[in-house]
Amino acid sequence: MKRLVVFGLIAFLLSGCSLMKVGKVSSSNEGAEDAEVTATDEKEKDEDQKTEANAAADDSSKKGSMTPAEEFTSFIEGDMSDISVMEYNVQVNLSQAQREPAEDKDQAMKDALERAIAGYEQLSMKMEAIEVESDELVKLKQEALEGFRIYQEYLILNRELIDDPSKDEEMIAKNLEYQRAKGTYQSHLEDLADKYGYSFEQ
């Protein structure tokens, strides 16, 4: 049995997940550090993007000949693993901003939320660009996109709440909507994981 290792944050992709086979040793902190190093090296980032573009073209031609099980493995261990690291970093940056002292705490939080909102826009774009063939992965991808959209709206309401306390009830309702969407996505992913020989681990 292969294993899905899930790290606990409040984000959408199984709460900021990293997915891998049994035998691979990793941690959410290592993923964050790797992404941070990449983000600070613009030249390396450009080269990585070119490599990713070439790999995406290759993957596109290969995916048509994959079995559903092979496509699921590629989706989980490749596409979703990359996105989960991106999402983890958005969440870490937001969490750090909440703890850091600032002369104008409200403005600092607005700025942090703006960055997080932009981060989820990038996540949605990256998710949208993933090509999947099987109906079950098309459905899973759409559920993830819907979750990103709702969570982004939740962040927007958090930002607006700083100046407008009347947004409180709307924000609570949006959080409930988000929790339902996340539950649907997680349930669907668990079903597919079980179908294709993965164990699911929090």
Side-chain angles (χ1 to χ4, degrees), residues 14-184:
L14 291 179
S15 301
C17 67
S18 178
L19 309 175
M20 63 195 68
K21 290 181 181 178
V22 167
K24 290 186 180 179
V25 180
S26 182
S27 73
S28 54
N29 287 336
E30 288 171 351
E33 289 168 2
D34 290 345
E36 184 177 350
V37 169
T38 302
T40 58
D41 190 334
E42 290 301 324
K43 183 177 179 181
E44 184 177 327
K45 184 176 179 181
D46 290 341
E47 291 173 355
D48 287 346
Q49 287 173 344
K50 290 176 182 176
T51 302
E52 287 175 7
N54 292 334
D58 292 341
D59 287 346
S60 179
S61 62
K62 291 176 183 176
K63 282 184 178 179
S65 60
M66 285 183 180
T67 66
E70 289 170 339
E71 189 182 8
F72 178 77
T73 298
S74 175
F75 181 74
I76 291 301
E77 296 182 3
D79 300 320
M80 295 299 279
S81 180
D82 292 343
I83 290 179
S84 68
V85 171
M86 289 175 62
E87 188 183 27
Y88 178 82
N89 279 307
V90 172
Q91 287 290 321
V92 166
N93 290 335
L94 185 57
S95 178
Q96 287 174 343
Q98 290 174 317
R99 295 193 302 267
E100 289 176 359
E103 290 183 12
D104 187 344
K105 190 66 176 177
D106 284 351
Q107 187 57 52
M109 278 310 304
K110 285 180 189 177
D111 293 343
L113 286 163
E114 285 286 355
R115 290 192 295 272
I117 291 164
Y120 273 86
E121 186 67 30
Q122 292 176 344
L123 282 164
S124 294
M125 291 172 63
K126 190 170 181 67
M127 176 68 74
E128 188 67 58
I130 295 173
E131 294 187 10
V132 290
E133 298 291 334
S134 67
D135 290 342
E136 57 197 13
L137 287 185
V138 168
K139 180 180 178 183
L140 191 67
K141 173 183 169 179
Q142 290 305 314
E143 289 169 350
L145 282 168
E146 180 68 2
F148 283 161
R149 180 190 65 78
I150 295 169
Y151 193 75
Q152 189 179 40
E153 291 173 354
Y154 174 72
L155 291 173
I156 291 169
L157 286 168
N158 270 269
R159 182 194 60 196
E160 293 175 351
L161 183 67
I162 294 171
D163 294 324
D164 184 0
S166 70
K167 294 286 184 178
D168 186 53
E169 290 188 9
E170 190 177 353
M171 190 184 74
I172 291 171
K174 185 61 65 175
N175 181 50
L176 291 174
E177 182 184 0
Y178 164 72
Q179 294 300 331
R180 288 193 294 270
K182 188 169 77 167
T184 298

